[in-house]
Amino acid sequence: MDRVSSFDEPLKKLLGGATAKVMAEHLDLHTVGDLLHHYPRRYEERGKLTALADLPLDEHVTVVAQVADARILMFNNGRGKRLEVTLTDGSGRLQLVFFGHGVHKPHKELLPGRQAMFAGKVSVFNRKMQLAHPTYQLLDASDADEATEAVDAFAGRLLPIYPACKQLDSWRIAKAVDAVLPSARDAVDPLPASLREGRGFTPLPEALLKVHRPQTKADVEDARARLKWDEAFVLQVALARRRYADTQLPAAARRPVADGLLDAFDAKLPFTLTEGQEKVSKEIFDDLATEHPMHRLLQGEVGSGKTMVALRAMLTVVDAGGQAAMLAPTEVLAQQHHRSITEMMGELAEGGMLGGSDRGTKVVLLTGSMGTAARRQALLDLVTGEAGIVIGTHALIEDKVQFHDLGLVVVDEQHRFGVEQRDALRSKGKQPPHLLVMTATPIPRTVAMTVFGDLETSVLDQLPAGRSPIASHVVPAKDKPHFLARAWERVREEVENGHQAYVVCPRIGDDEEEKKGKAKKKAAEEDPDKRPPLAVLEIADELRKGALAGLTVEVLHGRMHPDEKDDVMRRFAAGDVDVLVATTVIEVGVNVPNATAMVIMDADRFGVSQLHQLRGRVGRGSAPGLCLLVSEAHEASPARARLSAVAATLDGFELSRIDLEQRREGDVLGQAQSGVRSSLRMLTVIDDEEVIAAAREEAVAIVAADPELEHLPELRTVLAALLDKDREEYLDKG
């Protein structure tokens, strides 16, 4: 068998159809290579054989003993079954106990006189030592040597515990691994020899043997260090090759023009840009001036002025004869951006219109719900080049939308925006347009290097002058109901002082949900912890009748008609609405400087980053902000600890780290990054920062010296296997 193909061998050839089917369906394991990369989650130490007379309490032990007797006992008026087995080894006696469905197999096998090995944790019941539900292996007394060998193999080893499923337990996975383990010898080692030796890594075949069948804890450490490095390194090489390939693509350089739109805009600004904005703008302008496409990620705290930086980049491109498109994840946000950009630009956004500036351009909005006539006009303005800037939702990427000369794409909140869509938009230019991706979710450095590794990163970490501090407090509604009453008084005080407030709820709520919710309601009455999350429509109703009676309370949620949403947002922005009760549609980009207070209901139902995003909607003006996190979670619960962390700091990077530690990679990397996620088995993005940073450095050096990896055929082979079609596309579109 050649070296590569044994890893590609389908599991059903070696394990039989039934086991292979369960592995494919429930564990996503299809080939020998997949199974060899299905690493143990942890290892049990069975310990050396222990005499029954010397059993230590509360420790995992392995004993070899003979069954003295076994009996089934009924309890709970005959509804429950218990199998009790007494063992003896000449030094003492030990009781085993099995319950429920677990009694059938041992009852048939553990007959008086049979000898077996048993492993489990020693406990005391009725003043007797016992093992509950031990694992065991029968020994065939006919062959003494074989029995001795089996005992040594069973007792002396670290026992790997695999990620398993209901249909296939860890024992059976371990047996399957035994069947494919000889193929580990054929593993293609992706690391250049000089790198492997320089860093003192174990060869890959040995690492695979050690991770699955370690003799010692040092074996496990060796194997993990090597396998982690491989994952980080292969991924970083893939990303470095993407970045290199991007530098080979052609793009039109878009250089600033003196006395153009940008200069006219800067001259109108009523404030000076922060140092951070100046620095990041320079990085972007330098990228735009090159003849290959910019790929930049702009991270900035909520309210750090990312939109201003992006707008100046768009104006530069318009000055240079191109067009710029800004993509927002929701219609509310697209409308909001359109409104704030046209306001910031004033007459410069009315190019070609009466009263517009002769240096101006048209700024058009394009969303799915626009009327036919307005849509037709917007499409016409794009294709003729009349509109230099377009702001829209995913509707911008439909086939019908044609640009005159698309030079820059700005994507807001990329994690809500699939890579396919970025790709589709990119194909709208005569040549690939420059790409700027913005996010207000601070991303820890390691995640940025892993998930957005094909983008250069800029960070805006200063807040513009005039932003106010935000005080945050947890309101324990269950333990201290009077705190919640006080929260509503605080909202009323803010409104009386001429300000406005948001109330955020996890769900919308309506009649349809009511019907579905009857069963839930019944369950909730039986167990208050299971009540459904609070809903916008119900809370708005309660507040109008109760705590906030007399104030103008309006609702905003995703099921409203876009015109309706826009109308509510306009009236809220104009100050005609005192309190806006909303879902998380306000999470990103909504900018009302006069809104100073926010009450988040059932705050424990939101993630850390999401709470931080929501909180960033207040304190956007000169008055201080207030954010109240209302929760019924128990004081000692992890949910409350999470809320306390949010209340304790306004540093988004610190919070994103806490978030990642609590949720681990899966949720954070999100579905759009599944290509990356499914290739990370040993590496944890949060704990292995040094590994990732070092691997990135090595990868960049290797790709710079040999972009096609001509001198590293093994690395090329492993990359091809990792980047199966989906992942290759994922990286291409990144």
Side-chain angles (χ1 to χ4, degrees):
M1 197 182 289
D2 73 55
R3 299 179 67 205
V4 187
S5 64
S6 73
F7 262 48
D8 296 334
E9 193 76 43
L11 285 170
K12 61 173 174 277
K13 271 197 177 175
L14 285 139
L15 306 178
T19 305
K21 188 168 186 260
V22 172
M23 286 195 166
E25 285 175 8
H26 297 279
L27 297 168
D28 196 21
L29 304 174
H30 306 273
T31 64
V32 167
D34 290 344
L35 183 52
L36 285 172
H37 289 299
H38 186 70
Y39 306 129
R41 207 178 37 218
R42 59 188 172 84
Y43 302 86
E44 289 278 341
E45 288 183 79
R46 283 192 167 135
K48 294 295 175 200
L49 290 182
T50 315
L52 296 187
D54 309 327
L55 290 179
L57 198 58
D58 276 343
E59 278 187 29
H60 273 279
V61 298
T62 302
V63 297
V64 169
Q66 199 168 27
V67 177
D69 68 63
R71 59 197 172 281
I72 285 201
L73 304 172
M74 299 298 200
F75 60 94
N76 204 356
N77 291 332
R79 287 202 295 277
K81 244 186 216 181
R82 179 168 83 236
L83 171 65
E84 286 185 0
V85 179
T86 307
L87 301 181
T88 173
D89 71 348
S91 75
R93 292 168 86 78
L94 174 67
Q95 182 123 22
L96 311 180
V97 60
F98 299 87
F99 292 100
H101 298 305
V103 306
H104 305 307
K105 189 168 175 255
H107 188 224
K108 274 198 274 197
E109 293 182 338
L110 299 178
L111 304 171
R114 289 300 302 261
Q115 197 179 29
M117 281 179 289
F118 302 89
K121 196 174 183 183
V122 183
S123 56
V124 170
F125 181 71
N126 279 346
R127 297 205 296 278
K128 277 188 195 161
M129 292 275 202
Q130 75 164 24
L131 298 183
H133 277 287
T135 48
Y136 64 88
Q137 189 170 325
L138 297 170
L139 297 173
D140 187 355
S142 63
D143 185 340
D145 285 350
E146 211 174 287
T148 309
E149 218 171 277
V151 169
D152 288 347
F154 183 90
R157 266 204 329 235
L158 287 167
L159 178 74
I161 304 296
Y162 287 92
C165 58
K166 203 165 73 189
Q167 297 77 359
L168 201 63
D169 59 25
S170 176
W171 282 83
R172 282 169 63 201
I173 294 172
K175 278 189 104 140
V177 169
D178 282 335
V180 302
L181 209 48
S183 299
R185 288 192 299 271
D186 302 331
V188 176
D189 198 324
L191 295 194
S194 58
L195 194 159
R196 190 180 70 232
E197 284 149 21
R199 290 186 173 266
F201 285 129
T202 306
L204 183 57
E206 199 182 311
L208 288 169
L209 289 170
K210 281 180 169 178
V211 81
H212 288 293
R213 299 295 174 260
Q215 300 297 313
T216 62
K217 287 183 178 171
D219 282 354
V220 177
E221 291 308 307
D222 273 3
R224 279 179 175 276
R226 169 65 215 256
L227 295 167
K228 266 184 188 181
W229 176 272
D230 279 16
E231 284 177 12
F233 176 71
V234 172
L235 186 60
Q236 290 302 335
V237 169
L239 292 165
R241 288 185 74 194
R242 280 279 9 113
R243 288 194 301 275
Y244 179 83
D246 286 337
T247 64
Q248 306 306 301
L249 286 175
R254 311 284 179 172
R255 296 184 181 89
V257 172
D259 290 331
L261 197 50
L262 178 65
D263 285 352
F265 175 75
D266 283 351
K268 281 169 49 91
L269 281 182
F271 51 81
T272 53
L273 297 174
T274 65
E275 223 174 286
Q277 285 174 319
E278 292 278 14
K279 178 176 142 288
V280 170
S281 289
K282 184 182 179 326
E283 291 170 351
I284 292 170
F285 290 159
D286 288 350
D287 281 357
L288 290 173
T290 60
E291 292 183 353
H292 59 82
M294 162 170 84
H295 286 99
R296 191 165 281 281
L297 171 69
L298 172 56
Q299 297 189 57
E301 276 288 8
V302 172
S304 58
K306 292 183 301 299
T307 310
M308 172 61 70
V309 168
L311 176 56
R312 295 182 73 243
M314 294 198 285
L315 296 175
T316 302
V317 170
V318 174
D319 274 343
Q323 290 168 295
M326 185 181 221
L327 253 87
T330 63
E331 295 210 349
V332 168
L333 194 52
Q335 287 160 345
Q336 170 94 25
H337 276 317
H338 182 252
R339 200 159 44 236
S340 62
I341 283 173
T342 48
E343 277 165 16
M344 281 196 272
M345 286 175 66
E347 75 282 2
L348 297 173
E350 295 165 0
M353 290 188 254
L354 204 59
S357 159
D358 53 355
R359 280 190 289 188
T361 186
K362 253 191 184 181
V363 179
V364 299
L365 176 69
L366 189 61
T367 61
S369 63
M370 279 169 74
T372 318
R375 188 180 170 77
R376 193 178 295 129
Q377 185 59 53
L379 290 172
L380 191 65
D381 288 341
L382 286 179
V383 78
T384 57
E386 189 86 5
I389 294 177
V390 57
I391 295 155
T393 54
H394 305 127
L396 268 183
I397 5 182
E398 287 174 10
D399 296 342
K400 291 197 250 340
V401 182
Q402 296 301 321
F403 291 84
H404 176 65
D405 179 13
L406 180 61
L408 169 67
V409 176
V410 178
V411 179
D412 194 16
E413 290 306 325
Q414 190 272 354
H415 61 283
R416 298 157 169 266
F417 187 74
V419 277
E420 293 81 5
Q421 291 135 322
R422 266 162 61 180
D423 197 41
L425 193 57
R426 201 184 271 177
S427 65
K428 297 273 181 198
K430 292 174 183 164
Q431 291 182 315
H434 297 282
L435 177 69
L436 179 65
V437 169
M438 301 197 297
T439 177
T441 307
I443 302 163
R445 180 167 162 258
T446 43
V447 179
M449 284 193 295
T450 309
V451 181
F452 300 103
D454 57 333
L455 300 171
E456 300 300 329
T457 305
S458 296
V459 178
L460 271 179
D461 45 14
Q462 270 175 302
L463 289 188
R467 287 301 300 259
S468 305
I470 305 170
S472 308
H473 304 284
V474 179
V475 177
K478 206 172 193 173
D479 315 343
K480 300 179 177 164
H482 59 287
F483 275 38
L484 183 58
R486 176 71 190 118
W488 299 128
E489 280 172 27
R490 282 293 289 110
V491 168
R492 205 175 257 288
E493 286 162 16
E494 289 298 312
V495 173
E496 279 162 8
N497 289 331
H499 298 302
Q500 293 157 279
Y502 298 99
V503 177
V504 182
C505 303
R507 130 192 120 88
I508 300 171
D510 64 7
D511 300 344
E512 206 174 305
E513 284 192 10
E514 281 303 301
K515 287 173 204 153
K516 282 188 210 153
K518 289 237 166 92
K520 281 187 184 164
K521 198 170 179 189
K522 189 166 179 287
E525 280 158 13
E526 288 160 22
D527 179 0
D529 290 343
K530 285 198 180 134
R531 70 161 174 75
L534 296 171
V536 166
L537 302 176
E538 292 151 25
I539 293 291
D541 220 31
E542 282 172 30
L543 291 175
R544 286 186 192 114
K545 292 173 187 159
L548 303 182
L551 304 185
T552 319
V553 177
E554 292 279 8
V555 300
L556 181 71
H557 57 75
R559 284 213 298 267
M560 288 162 66
H561 187 276
D563 292 349
E564 230 183 319
K565 282 193 269 196
D566 202 38
D567 176 56
V568 170
M569 269 320 300
R570 267 179 205 284
R571 287 188 294 120
F572 188 63
D576 302 337
V577 172
D578 299 323
V579 179
L580 187 62
V581 183
T583 54
T584 53
V585 291
I586 60 148
E587 173 188 358
V588 181
V590 172
N591 184 22
V592 179
N594 191 44
T596 52
M598 175 177 285
V599 180
I600 303 179
M601 307 302 290
D602 276 346
D604 46 278
R605 312 247 183 168
F606 298 97
V608 170
S609 294
Q610 203 171 25
L611 291 168
H612 180 60
Q613 287 279 349
L614 287 165
R615 168 172 64 185
R617 302 295 116 221
V618 296
R620 299 177 77 88
S622 50
L626 172 68
C627 178
L628 302 173
L629 306 166
V630 179
S631 166
E632 292 187 3
H634 190 274
E635 195 169 356
S637 67
R640 274 287 286 278
R642 215 167 58 225
L643 295 182
S644 303
V646 174
T649 178
L650 291 171
D651 179 343
F653 284 92
E654 175 55 29
L655 288 173
S656 69
R657 205 174 168 84
I658 293 168
D659 197 18
L660 194 52
E661 275 165 1
Q662 290 184 337
R663 293 160 55 196
R664 310 310 294 180
E665 285 64 41
D667 305 345
V668 180
L669 301 190
Q671 252 345 90
Q673 320 303 347
S674 59
V676 168
R677 194 164 94 228
S678 48
S679 67
L680 300 187
R681 295 194 165 88
M682 188 65 84
L683 194 73
T684 53
V685 175
I686 188 73
D687 300 326
D688 296 317
E689 181 161 345
E690 283 157 28
V691 177
I692 293 168
R696 182 179 169 114
E697 241 168 76
E698 295 275 13
V700 168
I702 281 169
V703 171
D706 180 5
E708 292 305 312
L709 307 178
E710 280 168 22
H711 305 297
L712 299 167
E714 290 84 4
L715 179 53
R716 243 193 3 253
T717 302
V718 171
L719 264 181
L722 168 81
L723 301 175
D724 54 35
K725 196 158 175 342
D726 296 346
R727 294 184 202 153
E728 183 66 87
E729 280 176 10
Y730 152 71
L731 285 169
D732 269 342
K733 290 166 184 164

